């Protein structure tokens, strides 16, 4: 049988074999095909048999057919039970325990993060222990075994690139895991500075101050209250929130009238206790 006549895999992989799944004894081209059609996941490391796409011989897992000698994939990993006819610079990482794409020479395995990272991040990234052994905080798919590339913000938490793009399109610029800004927000902070400059508070609220926690530098500060946003005194970020239970104070030192302040807080997310002062859907200027 010529290669053009062979069943060369599925939408996920090009290969010349199919697996006999150990969980339900059914035949699928790959784990994704199985998981899309069954109510349980397959553990591909437990696969013990496969079927040649050319001669249909059922046999143990190996790199080529024991009957017709057809090679099942240009890349083969018997540990992961992975066969692929597409050249994507695949390599097996012992630390991750799975195969990766992109070329071994372009990545290093961080022992603390317990995942492969691009070489440009060597000695220049924030370690988060076992960071990939979790789900994407947006779509909740397991990151470690996902085929979707990840975006790595400065905070070190991982999010699928597709999910990251969706967050930005929706006007959310903070990490869903730790709420730290995922982009250079200088332009937006300047925009908010200008908005505050052009939007003075009413006289009765000019001297009110509030305690805030900055989600970027993680420092607390006492700042003037403004409905547009609460700016961190240390790093200048507006990615901040009111510290729960902290009353508004006047510059003279007295507590504000709680009823009056509450009416402002309820009218704008920027003043709500525990809510972000700038990241809740605010779009940057063009």
């Amino acid at each position: 049988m010529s290669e053009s006549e062979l069943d060369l895999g599925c939408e996920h992989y090009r290969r010349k074999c199919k697996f006999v799944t150990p969980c339900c004894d059914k035949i699928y081209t790959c784990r994704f095909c199985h998981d899309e059609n069954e109510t349980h996941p397959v553990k591909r490391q437990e696969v013990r048999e496969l079927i040649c796409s050319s001669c249909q011989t059922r046999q143990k897992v190996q790199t080529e057919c024991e009957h017709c000698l057809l090679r099942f994939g240009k890349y083969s990993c018997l540990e992961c039970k992975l066969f692929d006819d597409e050249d994507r610079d695949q390599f097996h990482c012992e630390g991750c325990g799975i195969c990766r794409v992109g070329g071994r020479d372009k990545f290093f395995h961080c022992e603390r993060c317990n995942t492969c990272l691009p070489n440009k991040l060597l000695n220049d990234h924030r370690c988060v222990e076992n960071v990939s052994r979790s789900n994407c905080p947006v779509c909740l798919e397991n990151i470690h075994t996902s085929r979707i590339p990840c975006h790595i913000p400065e905070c070190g938490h991982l999010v699928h690139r597709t999910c990251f793009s969706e967050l930005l399109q929706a006007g959310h610029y903070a990490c869903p895991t730790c709420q730290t800004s995922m982009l250079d927000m200088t332009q937006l902070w300047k925009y908010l500075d200008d908005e505050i400059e052009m939007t003075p508070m009413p006289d009765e609220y000019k001297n009110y101050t509030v305690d805030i926690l900055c989600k970027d530098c993680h420092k607390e500060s006492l700042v003037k209250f403004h409905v547009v946003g609460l700016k961190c005194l240390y790093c200048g970020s507006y990615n901040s929130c009111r510290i729960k239970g902290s009353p508004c104070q006047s510059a003279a030192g007295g507590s504000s009238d709680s009823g009056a302040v509450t009416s402002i807080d309820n009218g704008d997310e920027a003043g709500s206790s525990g809510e972000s002062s700038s990241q809740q859907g605010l779009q940057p200027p063009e």
Side-chain angles (χ1 to χ4, degrees):
M1 184 182 295
S2 66
E3 183 169 307
S4 61
E5 297 175 309
L6 284 176
D7 179 5
L8 290 176
C10 60
E11 62 178 300
H12 308 107
Y13 293 101
R14 288 177 56 85
R15 55 177 53 154
K16 303 184 185 77
C17 64
K18 294 184 178 182
F19 292 142
V20 180
T21 57
C23 46
C24 51
D25 198 34
K26 295 182 180 179
I27 299 172
Y28 284 101
T29 303
C30 75
R31 62 186 177 100
F32 295 106
C33 293
H34 172 278
D35 293 352
E36 289 171 0
N37 291 278
E38 304 293 341
T39 58
H40 58 277
V42 65
K43 296 180 180 179
R44 66 180 179 186
Q45 286 82 0
E46 296 178 1
V47 172
R48 295 292 179 265
E49 292 182 293
L50 51 74
I51 296 176
C52 175
S53 296
S54 178
C55 66
Q56 304 302 311
T57 300
R58 185 163 172 163
Q59 56 199 283
K60 67 179 182 179
V61 176
Q62 50 198 339
T63 59
E64 61 183 36
C65 179
E66 62 187 32
H67 181 261
C68 67
L69 302 182
L70 176 71
R71 188 169 182 83
F72 298 133
K74 294 177 181 177
Y75 175 83
S76 301
C77 176
L78 296 182
E79 186 171 343
C80 293
K81 312 298 191 297
L82 176 63
F83 303 93
D84 198 346
D85 250 357
E86 290 188 45
D87 183 7
R88 296 183 292 162
D89 288 332
Q90 300 94 327
F91 66 96
H92 181 84
C93 175
E94 292 294 339
C96 291
I98 59 175
C99 290
R100 300 288 191 186
V101 298
R104 188 186 300 274
D105 59 333
K106 295 182 176 65
F107 296 88
F108 72 98
H109 183 84
C110 176
E111 295 297 334
R112 185 176 179 187
C113 294
N114 202 10
T115 192
C116 287
L117 297 173
N119 286 338
K120 65 180 181 180
L121 296 181
L122 184 63
N123 300 320
D124 190 29
H125 71 283
R126 181 175 296 179
C127 285
V128 178
E129 192 167 357
N130 291 324
V131 65
S132 74
R133 266 61 168 189
S134 60
N135 296 336
C136 171
V138 178
C139 69
L140 302 183
E141 181 185 355
N142 183 280
I143 284 181
H144 189 64
T145 57
S146 174
R147 299 180 77 207
I148 304 174
C150 281
H151 174 73
I152 310 173
E154 289 189 6
C155 61
H157 297 111
L158 303 182
V159 58
H160 284 144
R161 285 183 190 169
T162 50
C163 295
F164 175 68
S165 296
E166 291 174 3
L167 283 174
L168 298 186
Q169 290 172 7
H172 298 285
Y173 313 112
C175 170
T177 301
C178 68
Q179 292 298 299
T180 301
S181 297
M182 295 189 293
L183 298 172
D184 180 359
M185 305 297 289
T186 304
Q187 184 181 7
L188 180 56
W189 299 163
K190 177 63 169 62
Y191 171 74
L192 293 179
D193 284 340
D194 294 341
E195 284 293 299
I196 289 176
E197 183 74 24
M198 295 185 294
T199 314
M201 290 292 288
D203 290 340
E204 58 267 37
Y205 299 115
K206 277 186 176 179
N207 294 322
Y208 284 155
T209 57
V210 291
D211 293 296
I212 66 168
L213 172 66
C214 178
K215 298 177 183 178
D216 286 338
C217 70
H218 310 294
K219 294 181 179 180
E220 298 179 9
S221 54
L222 183 67
V223 302
K224 280 192 174 184
F225 174 77
H226 199 286
V227 294
V228 171
L230 304 173
K231 184 175 182 177
C232 174
L233 295 182
Y234 295 96
C235 68
S237 170
Y238 282 93
N239 182 17
S240 64
C241 65
R242 287 268 303 279
I243 297 175
K244 189 173 182 180
S246 65
C248 281
Q249 302 284 337
S250 68
S255 296
S256 69
D257 177 80
S258 58
V261 173
T262 300
S263 67
I264 291 180
D265 288 354
N266 289 341
D268 193 284
E269 284 181 325
S272 300
S273 178
E275 294 292 330
S276 169
S277 67
S278 64
Q279 305 267 357
Q280 301 295 321
L282 181 63
Q283 294 284 0
E286 292 295 332

